[in-house]
């Protein structure tokens, strides 16, 4: 432990990707807050690295010891990982190893909203537990209403568990955020190109115009939903993105992986579908003369008619052109979901590192 005149040295470690960006975003404010709460100078260092997981899919505790060994001069090590953790039938938000001066925080369990504030507060909460002699009675300020601490070994190890009801949904949403579906969509550019090529034909075929006018809004929406779900199922099937538990112990975590995979692809494919609708809509405005369309369908024409044509043409394009497409590269497949990425950090007996 540092002396009163020695700056407190903190090490913040985060997985590559969204976890690192969140850490970088909060570092300055977190440093200021630590100085105010502990009333002493603080030095904070940030490092990006992946913490290994073992063959059961759990965080490798031995690797945590290595982190501590590499930062012997740090007073506390706070790790933000994108690995979802599950213990005692509940989602595990954070775990403190007092003997290693280390706390592990699982980013997915923080959910979707206001994650920067939650990370900062949980970091402070963990730090105050790691340094019990360094602060006054301010710990309640950083407690989370949706999570509860439990001691596993008195004075040595503490675990912060998410609420039993909201823990799983919050974790799945958090895993989806970590999967970054906004960055997944461009990796399906090949599928979008194929869908655009076929969907564009809808601009030139009278039968598509008449069918779009005849179908109700509910039916058109149902067609869009069915196409999106079909595309998601095809991507999961052809790219083998559905994970299977290797044993009962990791069954619940694998369920979370699969849930986040479905939600990630739903967001990505929906974005692509809507982008295709917009492109075809503007194309239809340029190509299809309003008077000609009005004569064909026998009624006045509005922008909704063009939107209906674009919606149906996009559905036709996805079914006919994109259903056989896949991701642009094998690297994109491995990075698109949690389950696939975890294979990159898992080690085996043949490759212990």
């Amino acid at each position: 432990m540092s002396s009163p005149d020695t700056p407190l040295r903190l090490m913040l470690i985060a997985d590559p990707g969204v976890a690192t960006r969140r850490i970088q975003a909060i570092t300055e404010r977190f440093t200021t807050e630590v100085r105010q709460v502990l009333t002493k100078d603080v030095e904070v260092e940030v490092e990006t690295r992946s913490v290994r997981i073992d063959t059961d899919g759990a965080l490798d505790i031995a690797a945590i010891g290595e982190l501590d060994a590499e930062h012997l001069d740090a007073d506390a090590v706070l790790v933000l990982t994108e690995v979802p953790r599950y213990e005692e039938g509940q989602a595990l938000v954070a775990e403190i190893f007092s003997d290693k001066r280390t706390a592990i925080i699982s980013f997915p369990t923080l959910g979707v909203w206001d994650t920067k504030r939650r990370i900062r507060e949980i970091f402070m909460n963990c730090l105050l537990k790691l340094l019990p002699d360094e602060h006054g009675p301010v710990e309640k300020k950083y407690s989370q209403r949706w999570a509860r601490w439990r001691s596993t070994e008195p004075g040595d190890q503490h675990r912060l568990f998410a609420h039993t009801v909201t823990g799983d949904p919050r974790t799945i949403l958090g895993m989806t955020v970590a999967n970054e579906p906004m960055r997944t969509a461009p990796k399906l550019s090949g599928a979008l190109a194929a869908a655009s090529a076929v969907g564009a034909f809808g601009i030139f075929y009278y039968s598509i115009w008449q069918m779009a006018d005849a179908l109700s809004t509910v039916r058109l929406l149902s067609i869009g939903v069915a196409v999106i779900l079909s595309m998601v199922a095809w991507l999961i099937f052809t790219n083998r993105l559905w994970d299977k538990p290797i044993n009962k112990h990791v069954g619940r975590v694998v369920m979370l992986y699969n849930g986040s995979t479905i939600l990630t692809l739903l967001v990505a494919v929906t974005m692509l579908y809507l982008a295709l609708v917009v492109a075809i809509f503007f194309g239809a405005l340029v190509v299809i003369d309003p008077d000609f369309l009005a004569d064909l369908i026998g009624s006045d024409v509005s922008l909704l008619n063009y939107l209906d044509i674009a919606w149906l043409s996009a559905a036709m394009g996805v079914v006919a052109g994109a259903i056989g497409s896949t991701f642009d590269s094998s690297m994109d497949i491995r990075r698109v979901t949690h389950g696939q990425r975890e294979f990159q950090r898992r080690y085996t007996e043949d490759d212990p590192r």
Side-chain angles (χ1 to χ4, degrees):
M1 191 69 63
S2 59
S3 65
D5 297 329
T6 304
L8 186 70
R9 299 204 63 219
L10 304 181
M11 188 72 199
L12 307 184
I13 298 175
D15 275 329
V18 65
T20 292
R21 291 196 293 275
R22 292 293 191 276
I23 288 290
Q24 292 171 340
I26 71 163
T27 298
E28 183 176 351
R29 184 170 179 181
F30 174 69
T31 303
T32 301
E33 195 163 1
V34 173
R35 286 172 179 157
Q36 293 174 346
V37 171
L38 302 184
T39 62
K40 65 184 306 181
D41 195 17
V42 177
E43 295 179 358
V44 177
E45 183 179 350
V46 178
E47 180 178 322
T48 299
R49 69 187 312 184
S50 294
V51 179
R52 295 200 313 265
I53 64 174
D54 60 26
T55 53
D56 288 335
L59 279 178
D60 181 15
I61 302 303
I64 304 304
E66 293 172 10
L67 289 177
D68 182 70
E70 292 177 12
H71 306 288
L72 292 175
D73 55 347
D75 294 286
V77 179
L78 304 176
V79 182
L80 184 66
T81 177
E82 67 172 26
V83 176
R85 307 186 64 199
Y86 216 89
E87 296 288 346
E88 301 178 29
Q90 289 180 255
L92 182 60
V93 181
E95 187 169 18
I96 290 177
F97 302 89
S98 299
D99 58 330
K100 301 180 184 299
R101 295 170 290 117
T102 300
I104 311 295
I105 296 87
S106 180
F107 173 75
T109 58
L110 305 183
V112 176
W113 310 113
D114 205 11
T115 55
K116 294 178 184 177
R117 176 186 61 81
R118 289 177 176 174
I119 292 171
R120 195 178 70 253
E121 290 182 351
I122 292 177
F123 269 19
M124 281 298 304
N125 200 344
C126 291
L127 182 62
L128 295 177
K129 287 184 176 297
L130 285 170
L131 308 174
D133 298 329
E134 298 277 351
H135 66 92
V138 295
E139 195 171 322
K140 289 185 178 180
K141 176 182 176 181
Y142 300 103
S143 62
Q144 305 295 315
R145 292 179 297 178
W146 49 271
R148 293 291 182 272
W149 283 101
R150 296 180 197 166
S151 297
T152 56
E153 297 178 17
D156 181 51
Q157 192 172 349
H158 304 272
R159 288 173 173 172
L160 181 64
F161 288 95
H163 193 278
T164 53
V165 176
T166 62
D168 283 0
R170 188 194 303 273
T171 301
I172 290 176
L173 289 174
M175 292 171 70
T176 303
V177 171
N179 285 339
E180 300 181 289
M182 298 289 286
R183 299 191 178 201
T184 298
K187 298 171 184 177
L188 294 169
S189 58
L192 179 61
S196 300
V198 177
F201 281 102
I203 299 176
F204 302 98
Y205 278 86
Y206 302 165
S207 57
I208 299 297
W209 308 353
Q210 293 170 323
M211 187 180 298
D213 180 66
L215 294 173
S216 66
T217 301
V218 172
R219 191 176 291 272
L220 283 169
L221 290 174
S222 299
I223 291 172
V225 170
V227 165
I228 291 171
L229 293 177
S230 298
M231 184 67 174
V232 169
W234 182 260
L235 287 171
I236 291 175
F237 175 76
T238 56
N239 294 286
R240 300 179 181 179
L241 298 180
W242 193 260
D243 294 319
K244 297 180 180 179
I246 56 178
N247 56 55
K248 294 181 179 180
H249 177 70
V250 297
R252 196 66 174 266
V253 175
V254 170
M255 180 197 73
L256 300 179
Y257 284 155
N258 291 331
S260 67
T261 296
I262 294 173
L263 192 54
T264 299
L265 292 178
L266 277 174
V267 174
V269 173
T270 299
M271 289 175 58
L272 289 179
Y273 184 85
L274 294 178
L276 187 58
V277 169
V278 171
I280 296 175
F281 173 76
F282 284 108
L285 288 176
V286 173
V287 173
I288 304 174
D289 180 78
D291 295 332
F292 182 72
L293 179 59
D295 290 338
L296 185 68
I297 64 177
S299 64
D300 293 335
V301 173
S302 68
L303 289 177
L304 289 178
N305 294 102
Y306 287 91
L307 181 59
D308 289 345
I309 293 172
W311 188 271
L312 187 60
S313 299
M316 179 183 69
V318 170
V319 170
I323 202 70
S325 300
T326 183
F327 292 97
D328 294 346
S329 72
S330 59
M331 185 60 68
D332 292 337
I333 297 172
R334 291 196 296 270
R335 291 178 177 174
V336 70
T337 63
H338 257 84
Q340 295 293 315
R341 289 203 308 277
E342 295 317 315
F343 284 113
Q344 298 179 40
R345 67 167 93 212
R346 182 175 294 140
Y347 68 90
T348 64
E349 292 180 358
D350 295 330
D351 183 16
R353 297 296 295 178

